[in-house]
Amino acid sequence: MLTSLSLIFLIGLAVAAICQKLKLPRIIGMLVTGIVLGPFVLDFLDPSILGISAELRQMALIIILIKAGLSLNINDLKRVGRPAILMSFLPAVFEILAFVLLAPKLLGVTLIEAAIMGAVLGAVSPAVVVPKMVSLMETCYGTDKSIPQLILAAASLDDVFVIVLFSTFVGMAQGGSASAMDIANIPISIVLGIALGAAVGWLLSIFFETSYAHKHLIRNSMKVIIVLGLSFLLMATEAWLEGIVSVSGLLAVMSMACVLQMKSTDFVSKRLSEKFGKLWIAAEVILFVLVGAAVDIRYTMKAGLTAIALIFIALIFRSVGVLLCLIGTPLNFKERLFCVIAYLPKATVQAAIGSVPLSLGLPCGNIVLSVAVLSIIITAPLGAFGMDISYKKLLKKE
């Protein structure tokens, strides 16, 4: 495992640096490193690290969501309320609709299989989008109209919506049917996740402030460990309550960090944000190299040009959904175009659930995984590169 970790860090960082020199996003280098080192090409990674790959990716995602929550201003979030809520589900609905309408004709799948495929591909990747939005907030690009905050909040909610739909469609494909409770789980998961995280964040802020008032100083490094430990517990709570009530662990983590930032002194929140920013340097490499390692490049050959065309058509549908969400906002054409670009990349969710239909023995398993792999290879670099080259031209620096 130690050899595998050294390869992940050293080669991942080296290839990312090469991409940066070539004016390409670092994420491309990390994804390529994962694909090449992974079990489907050179097979240099130890099976033990691949066995805990999902948990390591989740930990890395938790770190960037904490960093995002600590950087997010609640007042800014209030300003983008309506479009953020719409963008949390409408673009995904449009993309799923594209697959339902076109996949049966183009790929020969049934309607429910097309819906499963659309749900797998409907989620935007927070791992690609969130770090870029945090960077824009720190450099004050688009912050005059709270554009990074809008995209950050919407992308976090988007995943909850899509994953609940995916579970519902898979249940239907296995012979079940969609109940009213399945649909009700979406808002329940969001509301309970936010409420649970806010409560933990509030208690944590009281603990930090009380310890400071009584001269029991807690070092910032210790605070980071405490925040991480509670974040892992919040994620575990989602699994503990599965089958009883739906709670979004990722939203709970981000909500906790938001409330902690709001209730703590500026110095404390700023220092914590800096600490998690440094942690993200290592977490980013682990996340994207392991996402690349989960990509079975062989399936791209099976998908063919038809699947590529379908992915691009679905992205057009998705873009229309984003533009509809922004009607009535003060954003100009360039700013709306940036929102469309920021909502293109897919990686984390597709790597996590793309193989589930195949593992369940569904007839559509192979084609769903093939299209999911293609979507990562096409849209993650496309979205990351698009954001990198366009934000200075499309967004105003405050």
Side-chain angles (χ1 to χ4, degrees):
M1 183 182 284
L2 291 178
T3 305
S4 297
L5 282 172
S6 69
L7 290 174
I8 288 170
F9 282 121
L10 297 177
I11 299 177
L13 284 172
V15 179
I18 292 169
C19 286
Q20 197 169 22
K21 286 286 185 184
L22 297 172
K23 305 296 183 185
L24 295 171
R26 290 166 56 83
I27 178 184
I28 296 177
M30 295 174 198
L31 285 171
V32 169
T33 300
I35 292 171
V36 173
L37 293 180
F40 309 110
V41 182
L42 296 180
D43 195 19
F44 280 177
L45 298 181
D46 193 285
S48 60
I49 204 165
L50 294 174
I52 58 169
S53 172
E55 288 77 13
L56 289 173
R57 294 201 307 265
Q58 194 173 65
M59 287 168 64
L61 197 55
I62 286 170
I63 289 170
I64 189 54
L65 285 174
I66 295 171
K67 165 71 174 167
L70 290 169
S71 306
L72 194 60
N73 189 304
I74 299 296
N75 292 324
D76 288 336
L77 200 55
K78 289 177 182 176
R79 287 169 57 191
V80 296
R82 182 188 62 84
I85 292 170
L86 289 176
M87 283 181 67
S88 69
F89 70 92
L90 201 58
V93 167
F94 270 69
E95 190 162 8
I96 293 169
L97 181 62
F99 280 96
V100 169
L101 292 175
L102 299 173
K105 296 175 183 176
L106 296 178
L107 300 178
V109 296
T110 65
L111 277 176
I112 190 62
E113 289 171 344
I116 291 172
M117 188 182 298
V120 170
L121 272 74
V124 71
S125 173
V128 180
V129 174
V130 172
K132 190 63 193 175
M133 295 308 110
V134 172
S135 173
L136 292 180
M137 286 156 60
E138 290 173 347
T139 53
C140 298
Y141 275 96
T143 50
D144 58 325
K145 296 181 183 176
S146 302
I147 294 168
Q149 293 89 333
L150 162 65
I151 296 169
L152 194 156
S156 304
L157 291 168
D158 168 273
D159 285 2
V160 179
F161 174 74
V162 169
I163 290 171
V164 172
L165 277 187
F166 171 75
S167 302
T168 303
F169 292 147
V170 165
M172 292 169 67
Q174 290 179 305
S177 58
S179 66
M181 194 59 200
D182 293 326
I183 306 301
N185 273 337
I186 297 172
I188 289 172
S189 178
I190 291 170
V191 171
L192 288 182
I194 292 172
L196 178 62
V200 173
W202 179 67
L203 292 173
L204 196 54
S205 67
I206 292 174
F207 172 66
F208 287 159
E209 294 299 323
T210 304
S211 64
Y212 180 77
H214 288 83
K215 307 299 182 184
H216 300 302
L217 298 181
I218 302 174
R219 296 182 61 181
N220 289 313
S221 300
M222 291 293 291
K223 288 176 182 174
V224 167
I225 295 170
I226 292 169
V227 171
L228 268 178
L230 287 171
S231 300
F232 296 158
L233 274 179
L234 288 173
M235 288 300 299
T237 301
E238 180 178 348
W240 295 339
L241 296 177
E242 190 174 354
I244 303 170
V245 66
S246 293
V247 179
S248 170
L250 289 177
L251 273 181
V253 169
M254 192 167 170
S255 173
M256 177 194 70
C258 279
V259 172
L260 186 58
Q261 183 264 348
M262 184 172 63
K263 294 292 184 182
S264 301
T265 61
D266 288 343
F267 177 76
V268 170
S269 60
K270 185 179 179 182
R271 290 294 293 157
L272 281 174
S273 183
E274 287 172 358
K275 292 282 186 182
F276 277 101
K278 291 172 183 175
L279 272 179
W280 171 242
I281 295 171
E284 179 185 38
V285 182
I286 291 175
L287 175 60
F288 289 118
V289 171
L290 290 179
V291 165
V295 169
D296 189 343
I297 202 74
R298 296 170 299 178
Y299 282 110
T300 59
M301 307 302 174
K302 295 181 182 180
L305 293 175
T306 306
I308 295 173
L310 183 56
I311 288 169
F312 278 104
I313 294 169
L315 288 179
I316 293 170
F317 272 68
R318 182 179 191 82
S319 300
V320 171
V322 171
L323 292 173
L324 286 176
C325 296
L326 299 175
I327 291 174
T329 64
L331 275 61
N332 60 36
F333 173 75
K334 287 183 177 181
E335 292 162 341
R336 295 180 191 211
L337 179 58
F338 179 80
C339 292
V340 168
I341 295 169
Y343 243 51
L344 294 179
K346 301 164 191 307
T348 330
V349 175
Q350 289 69 30
I353 66 174
S355 60
V356 171
L358 182 62
S359 65
L360 294 175
L362 296 179
C364 63
N366 267 319
I367 189 65
V368 169
L369 182 55
S370 303
V371 179
V373 169
L374 265 180
S375 74
I376 294 171
I377 293 171
I378 292 169
T379 65
L382 180 66
F385 186 61
M387 285 187 283
D388 278 351
I389 64 170
S390 68
Y391 77 94
K392 289 184 179 178
K393 299 174 184 175
L394 301 180
L395 299 180
K396 178 184 174 185
K397 186 178 172 92
E398 190 175 9

